[in-house]
Amino acid sequence: MAFMLPFLKWGHVMRAILSVLGAAILYCAIGSSSVLAQERSAVRQGFVLPPQSGKTILVLRPSVRVAEQSTGGLPEPRAEWTDQARAHIDAALVELQRQLGNTVIAAPEAYGEDARTVAEHLALFGAVSDAVVQYQFFVGNRLPTKKRDNKAGQFDWSLGPDVAKLPGADQADYALFLHTDDQYGSTGRKMLQIVGAIAGVGFTSGVHKGSAGLVDLKTGDLLWLNADFQMGGDVREADGAMKRVRQLL
């Protein structure tokens, strides 16, 4: 059964997700110095997605995870925070909706083996986007094959050809993945951070990662990615979720 906000169908959310995607991709594709200099976004060489492209985009339901970071740094899932974040993120996507001439379809409900395939690819996208941030967006960490600047067309990452097995893939050209992972520091974690600062030992409090990417359903190539390990916006609040969605797209 399709997920619905009050009075808002999932299909509306799907169109909203793509509301600013075209502009973001075109903005990256022309080599915007402000975006690329921040090393948070990149486009595969030669790829553009103009309005009225005639392409079909399969939108997978966004992966939203919210947890509390324990004193020891372990994430403890908080269902109520996750539910709040889902509702606020979906509402923000709808509010940002603009007409885009590409065809957008929601991924069908998956069961059994299909559900396992979807879950595996959502996890794979999260791992690949993390790797892009770590080993390409941070220039000093670049792998030997990723040494050239993104603007020189060295954005070459893939989820593999098995993306063609995703439910609904046979009806689309591209798949859009969105992922957010937030951990808010507990009182104990924040106190440990303060004590550590006094003792000269660094402890972080909170994790705020997000990524959005477009994948070629025939080849598995990652065509466009916007990802950051330090995203803004408290997704548990409406204003914070709006800020996060703007950053993602």
Side-chain angles (χ1 to χ4, degrees):
M1 180 176 65
F3 174 78
M4 256 185 212
L5 290 173
F7 311 110
L8 293 171
K9 291 186 177 181
W10 176 247
H12 296 161
V13 176
M14 294 301 96
R15 289 192 295 275
I17 290 175
L18 270 294
S19 63
V20 293
L21 179 60
I25 290 175
L26 289 173
Y27 188 53
C28 294
I30 62 175
S32 167
S33 59
S34 60
V35 174
L36 293 176
Q38 295 177 18
E39 297 294 338
R40 292 183 182 130
S41 191
V43 173
R44 193 176 184 87
Q45 186 178 28
F47 176 72
V48 293
L49 184 64
Q52 309 298 334
S53 69
K55 300 296 185 180
T56 300
I57 300 169
L58 178 72
V59 181
L60 301 178
R61 185 163 297 172
S63 172
V64 179
R65 297 186 296 188
V66 187
E68 184 174 41
Q69 192 177 43
S70 69
T71 302
L74 297 176
E76 299 176 351
R78 294 286 299 271
E80 68 276 22
W81 288 356
T82 299
D83 290 343
Q84 290 169 0
R86 284 187 183 280
H88 290 317
I89 287 174
D90 286 342
L93 291 170
V94 170
E95 187 172 338
L96 290 173
Q97 180 175 354
R98 292 185 301 190
Q99 187 64 39
L100 190 67
N102 303 304
T103 302
V104 179
I105 61 174
E109 195 74 21
Y111 304 94
E113 188 63 32
D114 283 345
R116 187 176 300 108
T117 298
V118 172
E120 288 174 350
H121 279 84
L122 288 174
L124 178 60
F125 172 74
V128 170
S129 61
D130 283 355
V132 172
V133 174
Q134 187 68 37
Y135 297 113
Q136 180 148 359
F137 287 178
F138 289 136
V139 179
N141 291 345
R142 281 188 181 161
L143 301 172
T145 57
K146 312 291 183 183
K147 288 294 186 181
R148 287 162 50 199
D149 189 273
N150 289 334
K151 291 181 290 185
Q154 193 63 21
F155 185 68
D156 184 16
W157 299 80
S158 177
L159 301 190
D162 280 352
V163 294
K165 298 178 182 178
L166 287 169
D170 58 340
Q171 303 174 40
D173 301 286
Y174 310 127
L176 179 65
F177 291 76
L178 290 99
H179 172 78
T180 62
D181 186 0
D182 289 89
Q183 299 172 26
Y184 294 90
S186 63
T187 299
R189 184 66 178 180
K190 292 175 181 177
M191 292 299 296
L192 179 63
Q193 187 180 31
I194 294 172
V195 172
I198 295 173
V201 180
F203 292 100
T204 60
S205 179
V207 173
H208 305 287
K209 301 191 297 183
S211 57
L214 201 67
V215 175
D216 189 319
L217 283 170
K218 294 181 177 61
T219 65
D221 291 341
L222 187 58
L223 303 172
W224 168 83
L225 181 73
N226 190 25
D228 197 341
F229 280 3
Q230 298 181 17
M231 299 208 78
D234 186 337
V235 294
R236 299 170 298 180
E237 306 291 339
D239 290 345
M242 174 63 74
K243 180 177 181 180
R244 176 67 59 84
V245 170
R246 289 186 183 279
Q247 289 178 331
L248 282 172
L249 298 181

